[in-house]
Amino acid sequence: MTDIAEFEAETAPETMKRGRVVQGIMWALLIAAVLIAPALLYPVFAMQLLCFALFAVAFNLLIGFTGLLSFGHAAFFGGAAYIAGHVLKVWGFPPILGILTGTLFAAALGWLVGLLAIRRQGIYFAMITLALAQIVYFFALQMPFTGGEDGLQGIPRGYLLGMIDLSQPLNMYYFVAAVFLIGFAVIYRVVHSPFGQVLQAIRENEPRALSLGYNVDRFKLLAFVLSAGLAGLAGSTKALVFQFASLTDAHWQMSGEVILMTLLGGMGTIFGPVVGAVIVVALQHMLSGIGSWVQVVIGGTFIACVLLFRRGIVGEIARMLKVGGWL
């Protein structure tokens, strides 16, 4: 009875109206923050925030809305960075085509990994993704074009549409901002589509979704490919921003960081991963002077947030405002 009452409360007209208002405010704040960030932050740091925010949002589609925990998303992020960097540097691709190439590579890799991983559930699914990601990391370390431990350096930014010089920080920033907003809008649309509703039904009760006639494995695979592709979009963009792709991008620790970002901001929320990514990257940047102790600080922050905000920061805000899943 409690669950029914909560559902009715969340779907009441007043709650829906309040949810739309709060969601509109969040959209306005997000767009405003993206537009004014270069005036408040160093442009390269602001671009780093946007790249990791997109990575976290892509990962959240899988864990937050489909219920699949992947320990190997760094493979798509880092793999796309290497592929995009290679085609930009060696093949002379223009920026947009280079990023799209990295994104398509990540989506194809996601399809291959997903075919193998979705055959299992729970911790077995997570371990398969981690094992396959470690294979990608090994290739990144051994393949000649990746530069090994030195990484792939000197990736050119080039000219956008043959006219806009992306070596200029502001030009590059607004290009990255456009990529982020497009990726975020895609995630938003997917979550609020019938496809997204089926994914959430699978997350809540997979046997019931199966009994209703849905091809659960097919939906999981599509979600995995979409999440991998958008993670690759983030990785490709990051490689263009820093003109560098390194083993760190494909390391298992990167997968752990994106999980931390998602849980910290609010798993299963739209805006939560963005908030979590901003907090984690900002802490890493501000505390870089203390060396490895930064991980202790981030870990302590995570523990505090888990104890105080069990649904994540944005999840708890949504609960207090009684707007359900609108955030």
Side-chain angles (χ1 to χ4, degrees):
M1 294 297 293
T2 302
D3 293 339
I4 295 175
E6 289 180 355
F7 175 78
E8 291 177 346
E10 290 180 359
T11 55
E14 296 80 5
T15 302
M16 294 177 66
K17 182 178 179 180
R18 183 167 60 248
R20 289 193 181 97
V21 171
V22 174
Q23 191 178 75
I25 293 173
M26 290 296 291
W27 266 105
L29 290 174
L30 177 65
I31 294 173
V34 169
L35 292 177
I36 67 173
L40 304 175
L41 303 171
Y42 186 57
V44 173
F45 175 61
M47 287 185 274
Q48 182 183 13
L49 290 177
L50 292 179
C51 290
F52 279 103
L54 179 57
F55 185 26
V57 170
F59 178 75
N60 185 51
L61 176 66
L62 196 64
I63 186 175
F65 292 101
T66 314
L68 298 176
L69 173 59
S70 169
F71 282 159
H73 252 51
F76 313 122
F77 184 80
Y82 276 111
I83 295 299
H86 179 74
V87 300
L88 287 166
K89 180 179 179 180
V90 180
W91 295 358
F93 278 26
I96 292 180
L97 191 55
I99 288 177
L100 288 176
T101 303
T103 303
L104 290 174
F105 168 80
L109 181 62
W111 177 78
L112 180 61
V113 173
L115 279 178
L116 299 173
I118 62 172
R119 300 172 185 270
R120 295 293 180 266
Q121 296 180 347
I123 191 63
Y124 301 105
F125 173 88
M127 289 297 101
I128 290 173
T129 59
L130 176 61
L132 294 174
Q134 287 301 100
I135 295 174
V136 174
Y137 177 82
F138 174 79
F139 276 109
L141 180 63
Q142 298 295 329
M143 294 295 287
F145 77 92
T146 63
E149 294 182 355
D150 295 328
L152 182 60
Q153 304 179 30
I155 300 172
R157 289 183 176 177
Y159 286 80
L160 180 62
L161 303 177
M163 299 179 293
I164 303 173
D165 185 4
L166 294 183
S167 64
Q168 300 299 316
L170 282 181
N171 292 343
M172 186 65 205
Y173 172 80
Y174 285 111
F175 172 63
V176 174
V179 171
F180 166 75
L181 290 174
I182 291 171
F184 188 84
V186 168
I187 292 290
Y188 177 85
R189 183 66 189 94
V190 167
V191 168
H192 291 87
S193 69
F195 173 73
Q197 298 303 311
V198 174
L199 293 182
Q200 294 177 62
I202 293 172
R203 177 196 64 189
E204 295 298 330
N205 194 328
E206 184 175 331
R208 184 176 182 182
L210 190 62
S211 68
L212 290 173
Y214 292 110
N215 188 335
V216 170
D217 285 348
R218 180 171 176 268
F219 277 94
K220 285 183 178 180
L221 181 59
L222 289 174
F224 199 96
V225 171
L226 182 58
S227 178
L230 288 169
L233 177 63
S236 300
T237 307
K238 178 179 177 289
L240 188 65
V241 168
F242 289 96
Q243 301 179 273
F244 180 69
S246 69
L247 290 173
T248 303
D249 298 330
H251 195 264
W252 65 265
Q253 186 174 347
M254 184 63 71
S255 297
E257 287 185 9
V258 76
I259 294 173
L260 174 61
M261 294 171 188
T262 305
L263 295 178
L264 189 59
M267 184 178 69
T269 63
I270 300 294
F271 299 93
V274 177
V275 174
V278 169
I279 292 173
V280 171
V281 176
L283 283 174
Q284 290 175 341
H285 179 75
M286 292 186 295
L287 302 176
S288 58
I290 64 175
S292 59
W293 283 94
V294 67
Q295 300 300 329
V296 177
V297 176
I298 293 176
T301 303
F302 177 65
I303 292 172
C305 287
V306 167
L307 294 176
L308 297 174
F309 308 104
R310 297 188 64 182
R311 296 175 176 85
I313 296 172
V314 174
E316 286 296 329
I317 293 174
R319 184 187 64 83
M320 290 187 290
L321 295 177
K322 298 181 179 179
V323 292
W326 288 93
L327 293 184

